[in-house]
Amino acid sequence: MSFNTFGHLFRFTTFGESHGPAIGCVVDGCPPRIPLTAADIQQELDRRRPGQSRFTTQRQEPDAVKILSGVFTDEATGKQVTTGTPIMLMIENVDQRSKDYSEIKDKYRPGHAGYTYDAKYGIHDYRGGGRASARETAARVAAGAIARKIVPGLNVRGALVQIGEHKVDRSKWDWSAVGGNPFFWPNSAQAKELETYLDGVRKSGSSIGAVIEVVAEGVPPGLGAPVYSKLDADIAAALMGINAVKGVEIGDGFATAAMRGEDNADEMRKPDAKTNEGRPVFLSNHSGGILGGISTGQPIVARFAVKPTSSILKPRKSVDKYGAETDVSTTGRHDPCVGIRAVPIGEAMLACVLADHYLRHRGQVGESAPWPQHRA
Ligand SMILES: Cc1cc2nc3c(=O)[nH]c(=O)nc-3n(C[C@H](O)[C@H](O)[C@H](O)COP(=O)(O)O)c2cc1C
């Protein structure tokens, strides 16, 4: 059975294909009386939208979102707020060019999902990849815009930290640079150098992979569960569920394999009422803000690796759906590095996991975790 629903208490179901009339989602479980307008959601969608630079696909989708249900004007404030009922969000598809796909209609694009869809369903919408198209992720970004409002004080942001062999210089990390260059890169000077690099990749008819880092600040300690719904496991699943993602790590991740215990374990100092709301102070954050599947109150840090776009001009060996060998060269409008637009998608998925766990935590233990009150 297919599964198109994310989450437990904060839950959304996405619908639609790349070349159908519309895509969208129904968000269920959002608490009532949270201020919400289409503009709040649009500002996040605009960050993911295609066609904003020569380094992303040239499809021109405005991704204009409509809220079809679940909001009402609060008489007390005059503001539009959530009502606690299902919120339906719809985004019309307006820039499909299905003929771009007629040439590869019966051929399997190596690295794309056509073969596995046929192996499973015996039919698939080949236009734009159908349900495997990253257009579906617009609905996740829209749901994420709502999720961001659920955990009080939560701030989720992300950046591209690697394209091909180019890695960010962490000593020059500048969050304020991220919104000012076409790569979501946290350093303006380095981003400029990447333009020449990516132009080269694009002009050679190829594509390139990337790594994205997402960070959540303002996460209260206590979110998560100790065994089958560990916060890190749920974040990994949510990020791995984004199209083209092939690897996820939390905190120091794979680098921990080369570390010693004394270098990895985050040391602690006594609670500091002024700077840390009376909670213990951690001297480092190798854990990425999660211990035992439960948030520590430190920033949550996750990275995910995105493979290079499979639709490239360079011919690749494949077969068609009748079993004959063929070559596939993909024309049409594709992202030369899908990692760029994956930044707001990763942020959205992290926000959704945190909103879901926040509501589940509140349901089980109430508004605040018992520590440190029980020690008074
Ligand atoms: C933001 C984003 C944009 C994407 N754009 C394209 C694209 O233009 N062409 C393409 O072939 N794949 C693109 N993809 C990747 C496919 O959606 C994905 O690789 C495909 O569904 C194969 O499945 P996989 O997720 O197992 O790799 C994109 C992925 C993301 C996250």
Side-chain angles (χ1 to χ4, degrees):
M1 196 198 292
S2 286
F3 200 74
N4 296 286
T5 300
F6 165 90
H8 297 264
L9 292 191
F10 178 80
R11 171 175 273 223
F12 65 85
T13 301
T14 72
F15 63 85
E17 279 86 23
S18 167
H19 287 224
I23 55 165
C25 62
V26 177
V27 178
D28 201 4
C30 179
R33 299 185 307 279
I34 294 180
L36 179 69
T37 64
D40 297 334
I41 301 171
Q42 196 62 52
Q43 69 175 26
E44 292 303 324
L45 284 169
D46 286 349
R47 297 174 62 232
R48 193 216 70 106
R49 195 158 55 83
Q52 302 196 76
S53 80
R54 66 181 189 276
F55 306 106
T56 60
T57 169
Q58 292 307 298
R59 292 188 299 269
Q60 294 296 333
E61 292 281 3
D63 282 353
V65 69
K66 285 185 190 149
I67 305 180
L68 301 189
S69 66
V71 291
F72 198 64
T73 306
D74 180 358
E75 275 183 23
T77 62
K79 282 189 177 164
Q80 179 167 287
V81 296
T82 58
T83 56
T85 60
I87 304 168
M88 182 169 180
L89 305 174
M90 191 184 72
I91 300 162
E92 281 174 48
N93 291 327
V94 299
D95 189 27
Q96 309 102 312
R97 273 194 217 157
S98 301
K99 69 172 170 34
D100 282 354
Y101 293 87
S102 46
E103 162 66 13
I104 55 160
K105 173 169 137 3
D106 296 331
K107 299 176 180 179
Y108 295 126
R109 276 182 280 171
H112 219 286
Y115 168 67
T116 49
Y117 274 45
D118 266 355
K120 182 175 176 69
Y121 301 107
I123 181 169
H124 85 279
D125 183 346
Y126 62 84
R127 301 163 309 163
R131 196 69 183 143
S133 160
R135 265 209 76 55
E136 187 271 347
T137 62
R140 304 180 192 211
V141 171
I146 299 175
R148 285 173 188 268
K149 291 169 166 267
I150 290 177
V151 185
L154 178 71
N155 182 26
V156 179
R157 49 191 176 167
L160 201 66
V161 296
Q162 184 174 348
I163 300 188
E165 62 272 28
H166 295 267
K167 291 185 181 174
V168 70
D169 179 349
R170 286 186 178 268
S171 68
K172 296 186 179 146
W173 187 291
D174 174 11
W175 275 117
S176 69
V178 170
N181 67 74
F183 306 110
F184 297 98
W185 195 265
N187 177 290
S188 310
Q190 252 194 315
K192 204 77 201 138
E193 294 162 22
L194 290 173
E195 293 189 8
T196 319
Y197 172 72
L198 211 59
D199 272 337
V201 171
R202 194 168 48 91
K203 285 179 187 158
S204 70
S206 187
S207 62
I208 192 74
V211 178
I212 295 98
E213 182 163 312
V214 282
V215 179
E217 288 149 315
V219 181
L223 304 196
V227 184
Y228 296 117
S229 195
K230 291 186 175 197
L231 189 58
D232 35 3
D234 286 355
I235 291 170
L239 295 177
M240 190 60 107
I242 298 171
N243 315 36
V245 173
K246 285 294 177 192
V248 178
E249 57 180 15
I250 311 278
D252 284 358
F254 282 89
T256 56
M259 289 172 92
R260 303 267 174 164
E262 65 271 27
D263 298 326
N264 177 251
D266 299 312
E267 294 182 285
M268 298 166 84
R269 297 280 80 192
K270 71 174 184 208
D272 182 336
K274 282 201 205 92
T275 61
N276 208 29
E277 294 174 353
R279 296 190 180 273
V281 174
F282 288 92
L283 301 184
S284 54
N285 188 17
H286 299 291
S287 74
I290 303 168
L291 290 171
I294 298 172
S295 60
T296 62
Q298 295 209 87
I300 290 181
V301 183
R303 277 175 297 283
F304 57 101
V306 176
K307 71 184 187 185
T309 324
S310 49
S311 304
I312 51 174
L313 272 172
K314 287 195 173 164
R316 310 300 300 146
K317 293 186 187 61
S318 187
V319 292
D320 65 20
K321 63 180 180 186
Y322 308 104
E325 291 185 356
T326 183
D327 278 358
V328 175
S329 163
T330 320
T331 52
R333 300 164 297 169
H334 295 278
D335 282 282
C337 173
V338 302
I340 300 172
R341 292 198 298 127
V343 175
I345 306 168
E347 293 175 13
M349 291 313 293
L350 180 55
C352 289
V353 174
L354 293 171
D356 191 34
H357 270 284
Y358 173 77
L359 296 177
R360 289 162 65 185
H361 173 73
R362 211 170 60 169
Q364 187 186 17
V365 307
E367 280 292 344
S368 53
W371 201 92
Q373 294 91 320
H374 285 191
R375 293 200 159 87

